[in-house]
Amino acid sequence: MIRLQAGQTGPSGLLKDWWTHETRLYCHCPWSDSLCQLPASAQADDLDWISGCWRNEDRSYKEVWTKPEHGYLFGYALNLNGETATFFEQTRIELGTPATFNAYPGGFGPSEFTETSRARNTVTFANPEHDFPQVITYTRDGRRMTATISRMNGDQAQVFSFRRC
């Protein structure tokens, strides 16, 4: 088992508290005394699958994400009434272990969510102190992607289904 103290640089070059043990990567969860468990294969480039333009079926919602670059993915979302934007949100994912999702709804924020789990083509971020949502999960399946938001216990879940633009 390898243990790095706060401020030491790991193999990825990130300054984080983390531990590796066999095939698992552990990170400290700021809202809990327990450890989050992430797969060892969870590298920054693993979130490349979010990149691109995504729209819901009735074209009333659009989400766009850049490719990972210099440790970030940048995005924006638009609620649309025809071609008129009725609401916007800017987003940023700071890549790392764990990654951090920052939302700026209407340009205000950030509301910060910490990665709690990641597998192939799925990632979950959480912030139990946030009013709503408290959990954000993205899942990709081919040319489709879903974003699910909810409370920590799963209540008030809303699922957004997207296809490539």
Side-chain angles (χ1 to χ4, degrees):
M1 180 158 116
I2 301 168
R3 180 178 180 170
L4 298 178
Q5 299 297 318
Q8 285 186 314
T9 303
S12 65
L14 299 173
L15 295 174
K16 294 282 185 183
D17 286 336
W18 61 278
W19 299 264
T20 58
H21 180 262
E22 298 180 0
T23 60
R24 294 284 178 197
L25 182 64
Y26 296 89
C27 61
H28 179 72
C29 293
W31 58 84
S32 166
D33 289 334
S34 65
L35 294 176
C36 301
Q37 192 173 21
L38 303 173
S41 63
Q43 302 297 318
D45 290 344
D46 285 349
L47 296 181
D48 182 54
W49 55 265
I50 293 175
S51 301
C53 179
W54 302 94
R55 280 200 171 189
N56 66 349
E57 201 151 314
D58 71 4
R59 303 176 66 82
S60 64
Y61 185 82
K62 176 180 179 178
E63 204 165 293
V64 178
W65 286 95
T66 65
K67 290 203 169 284
E69 186 174 7
H70 304 288
Y72 296 94
L73 280 92
F74 295 96
Y76 68 89
L78 299 171
N79 282 342
L80 300 167
N81 183 1
E83 291 301 312
T84 303
T86 58
F87 180 78
F88 77 95
E89 178 177 61
Q90 296 167 303
T91 48
R92 177 183 77 232
I93 297 175
E94 295 176 26
L95 300 172
T97 307
T100 304
F101 180 96
N102 292 279
Y104 298 80
F108 298 99
S111 295
E112 187 175 287
F113 299 80
T114 303
E115 177 184 1
T116 58
S117 67
R118 188 185 313 187
R120 188 171 189 272
N121 295 334
T122 189
V123 62
T124 299
F125 302 92
N127 178 346
E129 303 303 317
H130 193 257
D131 54 357
F132 187 84
Q134 295 175 323
V135 178
I136 302 168
T137 299
Y138 283 93
T139 303
R140 168 96 181 261
D141 184 13
R143 296 183 55 81
R144 296 178 184 264
M145 185 166 71
T146 59
T148 305
I149 61 174
S150 69
R151 295 208 177 277
M152 290 301 291
N153 63 5
D155 285 351
Q156 298 180 353
Q158 298 174 27
V159 178
F160 300 87
S161 298
F162 308 113
R163 288 181 160 248
R164 284 263 187 215
C165 296

